[in-house]
Amino acid sequence: MSKQITIVGAGLVGSLLAALFGKRGYTVEVFERRPDIRNANISAGKSINMACSTRGWKALDLVGAGDKVREAAIAMNGRMMHGTDESLTFQPYGKEGEAIYSISRAGLNQILIDHADQYENVHFNFEHKCIEVDLDTPLSAFELPDGDISTSDSDIIFGTDGAFSAVRSVMQKLKHFNFSQEYISHDYKELSIEAKDGDFQMDKHSLHIWPRGSHMLIALPNPDGSFTCTLFLPYEGENSFEKLKSEEEIKGFFEDKFPDALKLIPNLIDLFNENPTSPLVIIKCFPWTYEGKVALIGDASHAIVPFYGQGMNAGFEDVSILNEMMDKHGDNWTDLFKAFEASRKPDADAIADLALKNFIEMRDLVGQEWFLKRKKIERALYEDFPEQFIPQYSMVSFTNTPYSEAVRKGNQQDLILDELSNKEDIIDIIDRGEFKSFVESNNIIPN
């Protein structure tokens, strides 16, 4: 008999999961506390952008939504660093043809809900706030806008309701449930650079970064020619959101730190004052499942900071891995869930750590001379020894290598890069075309 499935949360992961189960023939009820995002008036550049890479495309293609998403996405081939002197420095992400893709969160969510909604066995219920979950039944209850209560009796409940998951809050009361919540010292605020005469005002195939040590600004392109910008600042102390209150303070800060960006955002003060300042949180917990009846997926089980562009991709990969587990275990959900959480937990922890590490790289290091030297060496190794040396960023973004394995290999690569960076004439060796023979003759790359 086909299982009845309840999904709490119709965000990116929840709607993708609904499409997977719809395709597999399960009866699915999806409950979402917000109104239907497809009816919202959200234009490009007015919501956080996502960066889709290989893991995300794998999951999207799995449910048949990949091509539709590609039509709404823009390739970003590398980072474009903006100096305080308004100079530009470009760093490719990988080899020719390797890119991550910018797409609006709202636009992607709309596509995925539409895609899941095509199945007669999938039904979405909006403006249903989850107020109770009985893990043993399993039964879930939802409050409607008029105060009425609706209940859903199913075989399995999936909590895909984000970092502050209502489903997880119930699981947290179980014995031996481990949970941690960490806010980093920085908050973020959305801004935007509008198109000029219908065209982009900066290179549209780059992720733009203004790295400034304790703070930074980034910008991702949209199909309409605009850029969605995100400002990351400490929430208190020097150069913080706490210090930027008046129009003079905000404008003066941008004139000093982001002069070229300021020229492109004439409505900066309005955007700064109108858009909320939001926190960044890291969530870790375990176990993710309960007796084959309830499971946490995506941010509900492993929310991370956005600095590796992997939060969505990691959540989508959860769905891919779950699909593989279903092929292996069939409808033995107890064994399936145990295998799923055992497989994914180490990788979820690994990408959480990598994302925090990459924040330091993006805000502090990308413009520094020694870092640029190290990146040039890394790129040369990748080009000359593509089988033995795949940079950690490329492993994470352009392969399906488990995150934990990417961390292990990245640590080994750091030792190689340290050795080569300490050789004073290494850049000259690269420029003369003698790098490969030098590395081989010194046995620097293990076979």
Side-chain angles (χ1 to χ4, degrees), residues 346-365:
D347 292 326
D349 288 348
I351 192 58
D353 295 340
L354 279 176
L356 203 51
K357 177 183 176 184
N358 206 49
F359 179 35
I360 298 169
E361 176 177 313
M362 289 173 72
R363 74 183 194 199
D364 293 355
L365 308 180

Side-chain angles (χ1 to χ4, degrees), residues 251-314:
K251 188 176 179 182
F253 179 75
F254 269 74
E255 286 174 341
D256 182 39
K257 305 296 184 182
F258 314 116
D260 56 340
L262 177 61
K263 297 173 184 176
L264 303 177
I265 315 177
N267 58 337
L268 170 67
I269 303 303
D270 290 340
L271 290 172
F272 197 97
N273 290 329
E274 291 169 5
N275 293 345
T277 301
S278 304
L280 294 164
V281 67
I282 300 168
I283 300 287
K284 294 182 180 181
C285 68
F286 200 78
W288 295 357
T289 70
Y290 178 75
E291 295 187 356
K293 298 176 181 178
V294 183
L296 303 173
I297 302 284
D299 282 358
S301 52
H302 54 82
I304 65 175
V305 290
F307 304 112
Y308 220 113
Q310 286 296 307
M312 177 192 74
N313 291 286

